[in-house]
Amino acid sequence: MSITDLPAALQKIGTSQMDMYTGALAVEVIFEEVTAQLTAQGIFLPAAFAAWVAARDGYVEVTLSDTSRWVLRLSDNPEQYIHLHPGRYSPHSLRIKAAALKTAMAYKAAADSGLLSGELLPDINAVRGMAALSPVRSLEDAQHILKIISLVTVSK
């Protein structure tokens, strides 16, 4: 993500909490496992999937090979009709606050653009300013943020 794309991207995150998958399964493997489960049950095609989810209050939870749980819903996009996200408090996931994710994404964008000074607290507060968030007082107050930054900036 570039600095110029940052405000619009951060706005989409919202202000609540979400679950971030931290397990070892690659995105492609997650998609393959979900697809295999739906295909085996005969509900992979759009109409069958829509009916299946509608009959279950609008969402279904599936478990993957690493024991992670994923929620499937019908997407608003007819071409990509399956909306998939980690289940709440699923194994291999971390419950994160939107402000921490915004900070981590802004930190990564600033790092990628060469805008960090190398001083952690001032850098965190500078990117929080870019994200329209208030500064943190100390690194001790920012432990959740630091954990999310480490997850977002890890190269896989």
Side-chain angles (χ1 to χ4, degrees), residues 3-119:
I3 290 295
T4 56
D5 299 330
L6 191 62
L10 296 180
Q11 198 171 33
K12 292 179 182 179
I13 293 173
T15 58
S16 189
Q17 301 181 78
M18 65 208 75
D19 294 281
M20 175 186 274
Y21 177 71
T22 59
L25 296 179
V27 171
E28 297 81 13
V29 174
I30 294 168
F31 291 158
E32 288 169 9
E33 289 192 22
V34 169
T35 300
Q37 286 188 35
L38 296 178
T39 301
Q41 296 180 56
I43 49 176
F44 183 69
L45 295 176
F49 179 78
W52 184 62
V53 171
R56 288 159 181 80
D57 296 326
Y59 71 95
V60 176
E61 192 172 87
V62 297
T63 303
L64 302 186
S65 62
D66 69 347
T67 70
S68 62
R69 293 185 316 272
W70 293 79
V71 174
L72 285 69
R73 296 184 341 199
L74 188 61
S75 170
D76 293 335
N77 181 342
E79 292 177 27
Q80 297 174 337
Y81 56 92
I82 299 172
H83 174 88
L84 172 71
H85 60 86
R88 186 177 292 174
Y89 303 112
S90 167
H92 313 295
S93 72
L94 178 65
R95 192 98 172 133
I96 60 173
K97 297 177 182 176
L101 181 58
K102 287 178 182 181
T103 303
M105 291 177 69
Y107 188 91
K108 180 167 180 12
D112 291 348
S113 299
L115 299 176
L116 299 180
S117 70
E119 295 182 51

